Amino acid sequence: VQLQASGGGLVQAGDSLRLSCAASELTFSSYTVGWFRQAPGKEREFVAAIRSRSSGGNPYYPDSVKGRFTISRDNAKNMVYLQLNALKPEDTAVYYCAAGRNMILSSVSYQNRYQHWGQGTQVTVSS
């Protein structure tokens, strides 16, 4: 199983980006898919998750990004996206996608609940 995150780049504050996560040998609709980010010198933090289709497929966000980030899934393409809007310099980080099976709602923000991880894509927001 491999996850591939892409779409990062260098943007200005206020701009938008769409990150993509592709998977091989894994069907996203059967997994909870999460996005995490890690800024230099900081711990990796949760930014979004979308539950499996059988669990309702609902998205979840921490307050820090709610209203600016949107996670979505395209089942036909087996892709998960993270739309980043109104970017701020503090959003600068490496963004990772991850997938986990049989995750209860309270666990979606915990990175150790995810079994599969992508390699990360860099997002840099200049002021």
Side-chain angles (χ1 to χ4, degrees):
V1 174
Q2 283 190 326
L3 302 186
Q4 179 87 22
S6 61
L10 172 63
V11 297
Q12 294 186 333
D15 285 351
S16 298
L17 275 176
R18 189 178 78 158
L19 307 184
S20 300
C21 183
S24 62
E25 301 179 20
L26 180 152
T27 302
F28 275 142
S29 61
S30 299
Y31 286 75
T32 292
V33 181
W35 285 92
F36 293 78
R37 67 184 180 187
Q38 188 166 22
K42 294 187 177 181
E43 294 186 353
R44 193 175 299 184
E45 64 173 351
F46 168 71
V47 294
I50 186 167
R51 297 191 73 197
S52 66
R53 186 160 53 179
S54 63
S55 296
N58 296 319
Y60 297 92
Y61 310 94
D63 289 342
S64 58
V65 306
K66 196 174 293 183
R68 297 192 300 122
F69 292 6
T70 302
I71 189 171
S72 62
R73 182 175 58 220
D74 186 327
N75 294 327
K77 295 182 178 179
N78 199 35
M79 296 285 291
V80 171
Y81 304 101
L82 184 66
Q83 180 69 37
L84 314 175
N85 294 331
L87 282 163
K88 305 174 182 179
E90 51 264 42
D91 295 319
T92 295
V94 177
Y95 284 70
Y96 300 88
C97 60
R101 291 294 298 265
N102 303 319
M103 294 176 63
I104 61 176
L105 176 58
S106 61
S107 67
V108 300
S109 63
Y110 292 93
Q111 54 187 300
N112 62 2
R113 296 291 194 263
Y114 292 82
Q115 294 87 44
H116 308 288
W117 288 81
Q119 85 292 356
T121 185
Q122 176 72 48
V123 172
T124 303
V125 185
S126 64
S127 57

